Amino acid sequence: MTAPVKRRRPATAPRTRSTDDALVRAGRALRVVLLIALALLFLIPFYLLVRNGLASEDDITSPDWTFFPATLHWSNISELFDDPTVPMARALLNSSLIAIATTLGTLLLASLAGYGLARIPYRYADHVFYAILGTMMVPAAVTFVPSFVLVSSLGWVSTLRGLIVPTLFSAFACFIFRQYFLGFPRELEDAARVDGLGHWRTYWRVVVPNSRPVFAAVGTIVFIGAWNSFLWPLVIGQDREAWTVQVALATFTTSQVIRLHVLFIAAAVSIVPLLVVFLFFQRWIVAGVERSGIDD
Amino acid sequence: MTRAPLGDRLPGTRPRSSRLLGTQNRTLWFWIFVGPFALGLILFTYVPLAWSVYLSFFDAHNTVSPDDFIGFDNYASMLRNDAFTDSLVTFAVFSAFIVPTTFVLSLALALMVNRLRRAQAFFRSVFFLPAACSYVVAAMIWKLSIFNGVRFGLANTVLGWFGVDQTAWLSTTDPPWYWLVIVTVRLWLQAGFYMILFLAGLQRISPTLYEAAAVDGARPGWQVLRHITLPQLRATSVAVTLLLVINAFQAFDEFYNLLSTSSGYPPHARPPLVYLYYTALGREQNLGLGSAGAVLLALIIAVVTIGQARWFGLGGKED
């Protein structure tokens, strides 16, 4: 083994101390420079999105492309919403309805299930939990053919129902809630029980109000996932009226008729709601990931 | 994906709940809480899976209730189909690129961000921010702005400063530069998320281990990384690798958005899901064949996941 970690350095070794310190300082400076460079690299795509969204079409396709556009065209935003070929307002509405309904529905269903699994003693609770967890192992995308078959036989293609209902049962969300409720202080529930509250009212009046962080974390993750999801809305939202923002953008990216600056401003507009949610709830996401036990 | 602390039955509570609510009541309440979720999961996951297996044995063109039973013919033609086997090769090439690069980049970001004393939250946000972006939007930026190969595009502009000729990034297969485009999109979108997982793992390492290493004369840097940090991150690393492979198997959004055009999808770089999408839901609507492909894909994923879990010892909490 090449590892002399166990070897003790003599207590008196001032000889190399100063060179070590200099090396450490240089290393730290190098790391900061590297981090700043990487951060800029990570931000460039966002910059390009906004830059091209506010540039003129000629400016985007010019052979003499420049990093800063010659002039900013704020009118692109109004042009986007006036453009009859881009049903952007409708797509934004659809995406908002889907994301909000999916988030609320998932929070309700998954938190109830997670609470039941964690806190209501039942002989087969572990079996039920395994059956739920098992669906996490099956990548959801593999079931898209049969799910499409099911939804189309229900007559739900191109309906909001078809876009929302099948996505409401997230084993991942249920798993996080179960883990969280397992660690929920039992004294609070016991006090509620002594006060004569049943399971139902204990849940609504004691458990939910005291679990806001985990609801915020799961809610944010589910909202972002619902807003960004693409394959399912592509398969189910076949009519223009049922297009989500992602499907609309994708359709226009591959079409020839669309004007580029409209497309870019549409994409920029599409991420604004998400960036707001994301920046506002970011620390909850981090907490949610850490608490999910995903890396235990 | 991970092992949950099962069987922690919360001792000491059973007597009281038994007194207040009988066993029957508890069963009832359990199903009131868990029932709606379980029912939905059965309806929208278990039923489709079973239906898919059923359909895969039928000649099902454009119908969900076929009556032409053909046994394993769909499976046979799927396995003989070059397009399907090529899609598996595409997946293998893709994961050979994306799994190690994402792993190394996200680990490096986590290590660097973790050591920061100031502005840690700022850098964490910047690297995590792309996770809020969709593949559709990211693919658009990559395809129409950075790697646009025709007259404009950031990559060609920057390369032009160094006298490099224009490259048609996405439309040629020789050389296959489209891999660079496909891998960097996912890297940008996902590295921040895995960085968070690594950060969570790093924060759980006890500082006393580092102190002990320092006392033992380990030099900060490579020695500490190799003998303290990486072994302590083993459980996280296993989880990250599993997630990376499973997610690579599900690659669809960026391939579809980067490579398809108004005239169709090019013959190169179809991962399994893109291929299945066109088979089952494209013009032919061959749901039987598509289902056979989905079942085959699910089996492959199961074998790979279980194999990986066996190999690494999934969720090794004892580490």
Side-chain angles (χ1 to χ4, degrees), chain B residues 283-300:
Chain B
R283 203 162 294 156
E284 282 195 55
Q285 298 259 323
N286 195 336
L287 297 170
L289 198 60
S291 298
V295 172
L296 281 173
L297 192 58
L299 287 175
I300 294 170

PDB file of all heavy atoms in Angstrom, chain B residues 283-300:
ATOM      1  N   ARG B 283     -46.307   6.682 -36.700  1.00  0.00           N
ATOM      2  CA  ARG B 283     -47.334   6.474 -37.723  1.00  0.00           C
ATOM      3  C   ARG B 283     -47.970   5.091 -37.603  1.00  0.00           C
ATOM      4  O   ARG B 283     -49.147   4.907 -37.760  1.00  0.00           O
ATOM      5  CB  ARG B 283     -46.700   6.658 -39.097  1.00  0.00           C
ATOM      6  CG  ARG B 283     -47.719   7.022 -40.163  1.00  0.00           C
ATOM      7  CD  ARG B 283     -47.021   7.606 -41.365  1.00  0.00           C
ATOM      8  NE  ARG B 283     -46.398   8.893 -41.054  1.00  0.00           N
ATOM      9  CZ  ARG B 283     -45.373   9.404 -41.741  1.00  0.00           C
ATOM     10  NH1 ARG B 283     -44.840   8.749 -42.734  1.00  0.00           N
ATOM     11  NH2 ARG B 283     -44.868  10.579 -41.410  1.00  0.00           N
ATOM     12  N   GLU B 284     -47.133   4.079 -37.310  1.00  0.00           N
ATOM     13  CA  GLU B 284     -47.652   2.712 -37.329  1.00  0.00           C
ATOM     14  C   GLU B 284     -48.527   2.379 -36.139  1.00  0.00           C
ATOM     15  O   GLU B 284     -49.366   1.483 -36.227  1.00  0.00           O
ATOM     16  CB  GLU B 284     -46.479   1.725 -37.361  1.00  0.00           C
ATOM     17  CG  GLU B 284     -45.858   1.576 -38.725  1.00  0.00           C
ATOM     18  CD  GLU B 284     -44.985   0.354 -38.764  1.00  0.00           C
ATOM     19  OE1 GLU B 284     -45.488  -0.743 -38.450  1.00  0.00           O
ATOM     20  OE2 GLU B 284     -43.796   0.491 -39.081  1.00  0.00           O
ATOM     21  N   GLN B 285     -48.307   3.052 -35.017  1.00  0.00           N
ATOM     22  CA  GLN B 285     -49.045   2.745 -33.787  1.00  0.00           C
ATOM     23  C   GLN B 285     -48.975   1.254 -33.461  1.00  0.00           C
ATOM     24  O   GLN B 285     -49.980   0.631 -33.143  1.00  0.00           O
ATOM     25  CB  GLN B 285     -50.514   3.164 -33.924  1.00  0.00           C
ATOM     26  CG  GLN B 285     -50.705   4.635 -34.129  1.00  0.00           C
ATOM     27  CD  GLN B 285     -51.129   5.356 -32.861  1.00  0.00           C
ATOM     28  OE1 GLN B 285     -51.878   4.842 -32.066  1.00  0.00           O
ATOM     29  NE2 GLN B 285     -50.630   6.564 -32.662  1.00  0.00           N
ATOM     30  N   ASN B 286     -47.794   0.686 -33.601  1.00  0.00           N
ATOM     31  CA  ASN B 286     -47.666  -0.745 -33.323  1.00  0.00           C
ATOM     32  C   ASN B 286     -47.470  -0.951 -31.821  1.00  0.00           C
ATOM     33  O   ASN B 286     -46.358  -1.043 -31.315  1.00  0.00           O
ATOM     34  CB  ASN B 286     -46.499  -1.342 -34.109  1.00  0.00           C
ATOM     35  CG  ASN B 286     -46.574  -2.850 -34.123  1.00  0.00           C
ATOM     36  OD1 ASN B 286     -47.174  -3.454 -33.240  1.00  0.00           O
ATOM     37  ND2 ASN B 286     -45.958  -3.449 -35.125  1.00  0.00           N
ATOM     38  N   LEU B 287     -48.580  -1.021 -31.116  1.00  0.00           N
ATOM     39  CA  LEU B 287     -48.520  -1.069 -29.656  1.00  0.00           C
ATOM     40  C   LEU B 287     -47.993  -2.407 -29.153  1.00  0.00           C
ATOM     41  O   LEU B 287     -47.341  -2.474 -28.115  1.00  0.00           O
ATOM     42  CB  LEU B 287     -49.900  -0.784 -29.075  1.00  0.00           C
ATOM     43  CG  LEU B 287     -50.444   0.610 -29.390  1.00  0.00           C
ATOM     44  CD1 LEU B 287     -51.897   0.723 -28.987  1.00  0.00           C
ATOM     45  CD2 LEU B 287     -49.628   1.679 -28.686  1.00  0.00           C
ATOM     46  N   GLY B 288     -48.268  -3.473 -29.886  1.00  0.00           N
ATOM     47  CA  GLY B 288     -47.773  -4.790 -29.473  1.00  0.00           C
ATOM     48  C   GLY B 288     -46.253  -4.831 -29.516  1.00  0.00           C
ATOM     49  O   GLY B 288     -45.589  -5.220 -28.542  1.00  0.00           O
ATOM     50  N   LEU B 289     -45.699  -4.374 -30.636  1.00  0.00           N
ATOM     51  CA  LEU B 289     -44.243  -4.361 -30.784  1.00  0.00           C
ATOM     52  C   LEU B 289     -43.612  -3.404 -29.768  1.00  0.00           C
ATOM     53  O   LEU B 289     -42.607  -3.725 -29.126  1.00  0.00           O
ATOM     54  CB  LEU B 289     -43.896  -3.922 -32.212  1.00  0.00           C
ATOM     55  CG  LEU B 289     -42.495  -4.232 -32.710  1.00  0.00           C
ATOM     56  CD1 LEU B 289     -42.230  -5.728 -32.697  1.00  0.00           C
ATOM     57  CD2 LEU B 289     -42.294  -3.674 -34.117  1.00  0.00           C
ATOM     58  N   GLY B 290     -44.227  -2.233 -29.612  1.00  0.00           N
ATOM     59  CA  GLY B 290     -43.721  -1.266 -28.649  1.00  0.00           C
ATOM     60  C   GLY B 290     -43.725  -1.824 -27.235  1.00  0.00           C
ATOM     61  O   GLY B 290     -42.771  -1.633 -26.475  1.00  0.00           O
ATOM     62  N   SER B 291     -44.790  -2.542 -26.902  1.00  0.00           N
ATOM     63  CA  SER B 291     -44.866  -3.126 -25.565  1.00  0.00           C
ATOM     64  C   SER B 291     -43.792  -4.179 -25.367  1.00  0.00           C
ATOM     65  O   SER B 291     -43.174  -4.259 -24.298  1.00  0.00           O
ATOM     66  CB  SER B 291     -46.240  -3.747 -25.341  1.00  0.00           C
ATOM     67  OG  SER B 291     -47.229  -2.758 -25.419  1.00  0.00           O
ATOM     68  N   ALA B 292     -43.559  -4.990 -26.406  1.00  0.00           N
ATOM     69  CA  ALA B 292     -42.495  -5.995 -26.303  1.00  0.00           C
ATOM     70  C   ALA B 292     -41.157  -5.313 -26.041  1.00  0.00           C
ATOM     71  O   ALA B 292     -40.372  -5.742 -25.193  1.00  0.00           O
ATOM     72  CB  ALA B 292     -42.434  -6.832 -27.576  1.00  0.00           C
ATOM     73  N   GLY B 293     -40.914  -4.206 -26.761  1.00  0.00           N
ATOM     74  CA  GLY B 293     -39.681  -3.458 -26.535  1.00  0.00           C
ATOM     75  C   GLY B 293     -39.604  -2.911 -25.128  1.00  0.00           C
ATOM     76  O   GLY B 293     -38.552  -2.957 -24.481  1.00  0.00           O
ATOM     77  N   ALA B 294     -40.748  -2.389 -24.621  1.00  0.00           N
ATOM     78  CA  ALA B 294     -40.777  -1.837 -23.261  1.00  0.00           C
ATOM     79  C   ALA B 294     -40.487  -2.915 -22.230  1.00  0.00           C
ATOM     80  O   ALA B 294     -39.736  -2.695 -21.280  1.00  0.00           O
ATOM     81  CB  ALA B 294     -42.129  -1.186 -22.987  1.00  0.00           C
ATOM     82  N   VAL B 295     -41.070  -4.103 -22.437  1.00  0.00           N
ATOM     83  CA  VAL B 295     -40.829  -5.195 -21.495  1.00  0.00           C
ATOM     84  C   VAL B 295     -39.360  -5.612 -21.537  1.00  0.00           C
ATOM     85  O   VAL B 295     -38.717  -5.789 -20.489  1.00  0.00           O
ATOM     86  CB  VAL B 295     -41.749  -6.396 -21.806  1.00  0.00           C
ATOM     87  CG1 VAL B 295     -41.361  -7.599 -20.959  1.00  0.00           C
ATOM     88  CG2 VAL B 295     -43.194  -6.027 -21.555  1.00  0.00           C
ATOM     89  N   LEU B 296     -38.808  -5.719 -22.750  1.00  0.00           N
ATOM     90  CA  LEU B 296     -37.385  -6.068 -22.867  1.00  0.00           C
ATOM     91  C   LEU B 296     -36.520  -5.034 -22.152  1.00  0.00           C
ATOM     92  O   LEU B 296     -35.598  -5.373 -21.402  1.00  0.00           O
ATOM     93  CB  LEU B 296     -36.984  -6.143 -24.342  1.00  0.00           C
ATOM     94  CG  LEU B 296     -37.378  -7.421 -25.089  1.00  0.00           C
ATOM     95  CD1 LEU B 296     -37.073  -7.272 -26.578  1.00  0.00           C
ATOM     96  CD2 LEU B 296     -36.609  -8.610 -24.520  1.00  0.00           C
ATOM     97  N   LEU B 297     -36.851  -3.763 -22.378  1.00  0.00           N
ATOM     98  CA  LEU B 297     -36.085  -2.683 -21.759  1.00  0.00           C
ATOM     99  C   LEU B 297     -36.181  -2.766 -20.232  1.00  0.00           C
ATOM    100  O   LEU B 297     -35.173  -2.627 -19.528  1.00  0.00           O
ATOM    101  CB  LEU B 297     -36.628  -1.349 -22.257  1.00  0.00           C
ATOM    102  CG  LEU B 297     -35.809  -0.099 -21.953  1.00  0.00           C
ATOM    103  CD1 LEU B 297     -34.418  -0.215 -22.518  1.00  0.00           C
ATOM    104  CD2 LEU B 297     -36.501   1.132 -22.509  1.00  0.00           C
ATOM    105  N   ALA B 298     -37.397  -3.011 -19.734  1.00  0.00           N
ATOM    106  CA  ALA B 298     -37.586  -3.115 -18.286  1.00  0.00           C
ATOM    107  C   ALA B 298     -36.758  -4.268 -17.721  1.00  0.00           C
ATOM    108  O   ALA B 298     -36.131  -4.136 -16.664  1.00  0.00           O
ATOM    109  CB  ALA B 298     -39.063  -3.317 -17.957  1.00  0.00           C
ATOM    110  N   LEU B 299     -36.736  -5.399 -18.459  1.00  0.00           N
ATOM    111  CA  LEU B 299     -35.951  -6.545 -17.990  1.00  0.00           C
ATOM    112  C   LEU B 299     -34.463  -6.200 -17.951  1.00  0.00           C
ATOM    113  O   LEU B 299     -33.768  -6.513 -16.980  1.00  0.00           O
ATOM    114  CB  LEU B 299     -36.178  -7.753 -18.902  1.00  0.00           C
ATOM    115  CG  LEU B 299     -37.544  -8.432 -18.764  1.00  0.00           C
ATOM    116  CD1 LEU B 299     -37.695  -9.546 -19.796  1.00  0.00           C
ATOM    117  CD2 LEU B 299     -37.717  -8.989 -17.350  1.00  0.00           C
ATOM    118  N   ILE B 300     -33.985  -5.535 -18.998  1.00  0.00           N
ATOM    119  CA  ILE B 300     -32.565  -5.162 -19.030  1.00  0.00           C
ATOM    120  C   ILE B 300     -32.234  -4.245 -17.860  1.00  0.00           C
ATOM    121  O   ILE B 300     -31.241  -4.431 -17.151  1.00  0.00           O
ATOM    122  CB  ILE B 300     -32.206  -4.484 -20.376  1.00  0.00           C
ATOM    123  CG1 ILE B 300     -32.347  -5.486 -21.522  1.00  0.00           C
ATOM    124  CG2 ILE B 300     -30.794  -3.920 -20.325  1.00  0.00           C
ATOM    125  CD1 ILE B 300     -32.256  -4.858 -22.889  1.00  0.00           C
TER     126      ILE B 300
END
